[in-house]
Amino acid sequence: MGLARRRKRKSRRRQEGRRILENVPQFSIECGEDKPVTAARKFIHSEGIVPPALLLVKRNEHTTDRYFWAEKGLFGAQYVEENHFLFPSLRLSDEESDELPVVAQSR
């Protein structure tokens, strides 16, 4: 008998981030001879893409790297899913945010 495989717990925060990223413009490109992150940067500059945007860079027929283009630069999409609250542009594009009362924080 094989060992029972445990289901990987889906992070609620990451699911939330993935849902938010679904509302962001997406661009699919192939990386060609470049490294995926280089291909993404070249594409952003050649096309004049403004943040926020999600770039899907096809590395080969099996692998696609996902990047998030933010005001602060280019990030791995998985990092952004887990830390979406750090990105102001995602708060603006999230429809639910206009239903929540805004509480000012003083530090």
Side-chain angles (χ1 to χ4, degrees), residues 40-92:
R41 288 186 185 286
K42 284 183 177 175
F43 182 77
I44 287 164
H45 293 295
S46 69
E47 300 296 313
I49 292 168
V50 293
L54 199 59
L55 282 93
L56 309 176
V57 184
K58 199 166 162 67
R59 204 189 307 181
N60 55 45
E61 61 177 311
H62 304 294
T63 313
T64 299
D65 292 349
R66 298 163 59 240
Y67 297 101
F68 178 73
W69 176 232
E71 303 77 12
K72 307 173 203 167
L74 197 59
F75 295 84
Q78 185 172 336
Y79 172 82
V80 178
E81 285 171 358
E82 290 168 4
N83 301 284
H84 54 86
F85 45 86
L86 296 176
F87 295 86
S89 62
L90 288 179
R91 263 178 259 149
L92 300 174

